Every structure is written in C-alpha cells, then in structure tokens.
Amino acid sequence: MVSVSTLAAITIDGLAFGASLALLGVGITLVYGLGEVLNLAIGAFAVIAAITASLLTSGGVPLPVAALAGLGVVGVLGLVIDRTLLSLVYRSDGEERILLGIFTTLGLAVMLEGIMVNFVSSRYSLPLDLAPVDIGTTVVTGTSVVSIAVAAVVLAVLFTFLNRTFLGKATRTIFQDERGAQLVGIDPRKIRTLVFVLSAVVAGLAGLVVAARSNIGVGNAFQFTTFALIVSIVGGVRSLVGAVVAGAVLGLVNTLANFFIGSYVATVILFGAAIVFLLFRPEVMSS
C-alpha cells in the first residue's frame, strides 16, 4: 500500500510535469488564438533551448547564463521564422491559413529535427543539483519544486503582460476582434511577430524545465508537440487559462498513471483523460 507521503511526493512531481505541459500548451494557444497558425514545431523550440543550454554548461558557462542563451537562441529563431515562413502563411485567410500553417510548421519541425540529428545525438540535461525539500512529512525533489515555481512566475508575468500592459491589451483585442483592432490603429502583423517570439521563448522555457528534471534528446521534440496539442485542445484552443488548467491536470494524471500502472499504459490513459475533458470540459476552460 502506498503511503500518504509517497502519494504526496508523486503529486508534486505530477504538478511539476504539468507545469511544463502548461507552458507548452500556452505556447500553442498564443499563436493559434492570435493568428490561427497551429505551430507544430513548438516541440523543436523546447528541445533546441534545452540542448543549447546543456552544451553551454558542459563548456563551463554558468547555468543561468546558459539558460538565458538557450532562450535567446529560440527567440531569434522564432523571429526569423515569423518574418520569413509565416509571412507567407499570414497572406491567406480562414481554413486556407490553418492548413497552410499546419503543413509549413510540420515541415519546419521535420527540418529542425533533421538538422539536430546530424549535429547532436546523445541525451542532455541541466546540472541543477538541489537538495530535497521537506514539506511536512513529505520529501520531494528540489527540481520539482523549482519547476513549479518557475512556471508559476512565468505564467503570472505573462498574464500580467496580457492584462496590464498596452501591448498585452492590444494582443487581447486582436484575439477578440482583429478588424476592430485595425480600426483603432493596432497592427496585427507586428503583434503576431511579438507573440510568436514570446511563444517560442515560453516553449524553450518548458524544455529547460524538463531538462532540469530528466534527460532530453531530439526525439522528445515530437513528444512535446503532441503534449502541447493535447493540452491546448483540452483547454479550449484559444483559452490560456484553460491551457494552464489542462496542463496541470493532465500532468498529474500522467504521472500517477505512470507510477501505478506503467509508462505505456499511462500514455493511453493520458489520451483517455483528454477525451473525457473534451466531453465534460467546464465552460470556463472553453471561453
């Protein structure tokens, strides 16, 4: 029989995994909600940031500097992609834009993964050696606590940006009424560029969070994209709050199932939980 302290520790680990899922889901939701582009390369951004930071730390660069460099790399990459490939996508509208965005970002994901396979092949992680944390009678890993804290701070800053700043309010206006935003002088294209770069950085941060807790490799890119899609769809596709809630819950479900049943069945249960969420999703998550 599993003790209460063990179950509590597993729950904390599940929430830490859910924090990374929430970041990935938010990254997908931001871009799709603003420009109806489903970024299927988001997992590649996460892996690129993590591998870049890991390689730099292996070369003697301090971890904070390496982490910022990893985020900077995916930020610049996101900017280049937005101003080139996505410029072609945004010229279309409606279903044509959605389909073109899917094929464009899918091709981009394949290309980025192919490039990485040729230059990196092993597993990477970040040397975040933290002592276990005592929470009452429960002992949890320090990396899990830090992962939850980092994700919470980043998400809080993101929501503050969207709700309190001029650029954030302009972004929300485009979410709700693009034509109305244009009438009041807001340039949707510039805002989309900002948001795409922001989503790439958020995805990169998710990769760093995962790499701090476990090994990461090129093969994880597709897995991350799949998780991001599940979280975003369950959360309501256009709802950032829904993506955060879905990420936390699905991360918890996956971790508990992995502990009690096994990793293979846990994946099946994750998809099953996603279907249940879609059928009985609370209204707040779909708004």
Side-chain angles (χ1 to χ4, degrees):
M1 183 176 180
V2 180
S3 65
V4 175
S5 60
T6 299
L7 186 60
I10 296 170
T11 300
I12 297 296
D13 287 341
L15 291 176
F17 178 54
S20 61
L21 293 186
L23 292 172
L24 289 169
V26 165
I28 282 272
T29 301
L30 278 171
V31 177
Y32 185 81
L34 190 64
E36 295 186 326
V37 172
L38 198 59
N39 182 15
L40 299 182
I42 195 165
F45 288 129
V47 170
I48 289 172
I51 291 179
T52 299
S54 180
L55 289 174
L56 289 174
T57 55
S58 298
V61 178
L63 179 58
V65 177
L68 289 176
L71 296 179
V73 167
V74 293
V76 172
L77 179 62
L79 177 61
V80 172
I81 291 170
D82 177 86
R83 304 310 297 178
T84 53
L85 292 177
L86 292 189
S87 290
L88 301 175
V89 175
Y90 286 133
R91 291 177 184 174
S92 56
D93 293 306
E95 291 185 1
E96 182 181 351
R97 178 187 291 180
I98 295 175
L99 292 175
L100 185 58
I102 289 174
F103 283 108
T104 299
T105 58
L106 180 59
L108 174 64
V110 173
M111 183 188 73
L112 291 175
E113 289 180 39
I115 292 174
M116 285 190 286
V117 166
N118 287 325
F119 290 96
V120 296
S121 57
S122 60
R123 308 288 291 179
Y124 298 85
S125 62
L126 294 179
L128 190 61
D129 297 323
L130 299 175
V133 178
D134 295 329
I135 302 177
T137 59
T138 303
V139 179
V140 299
T141 59
T143 51
S144 292
V145 175
V146 170
S147 297
I148 295 172
V150 168
V153 170
V154 170
L155 291 171
V157 170
L158 178 61
F159 279 102
T160 300
F161 164 75
L162 292 173
N163 291 290
R164 303 283 179 162
T165 67
F166 173 78
L167 281 176
K169 291 178 180 178
T171 301
R172 293 181 62 201
T173 301
I174 297 173
F175 261 81
Q176 298 164 0
D177 184 4
E178 180 175 335
R179 185 172 297 276
Q182 290 176 310
L183 292 175
V184 297
I186 299 174
D187 186 347
R189 186 65 188 92
K190 291 181 178 179
I191 298 296
R192 287 191 182 112
T193 298
L194 171 66
V195 168
F196 190 82
V197 172
L198 182 62
S199 72
V201 172
V202 170
L205 183 63
L208 295 178
V209 168
V210 174
R213 301 178 61 245
S214 61
N215 292 329
I216 192 172
V218 177
N220 290 111
F222 177 76
Q223 182 186 52
F224 289 161
T225 298
T226 303
F227 284 151
L229 286 172
I230 294 174
V231 170
S232 181
I233 292 172
V234 171
V237 183
R238 297 178 184 272
S239 171
L240 295 178
V241 174
V244 173
V245 174
V249 174
L250 292 178
L252 185 59
V253 168
N254 182 263
T255 302
L256 289 172
N258 188 47
F259 178 80
F260 286 105
I261 302 174
S263 59
Y264 177 77
V265 179
T267 303
V268 176
I269 291 176
L270 178 64
F271 279 92
I275 294 173
V276 172
F277 264 67
L278 288 174
L279 293 175
F280 302 101
R281 179 171 54 208
E283 194 66 29
V284 67
M285 292 179 64
S286 58
S287 61

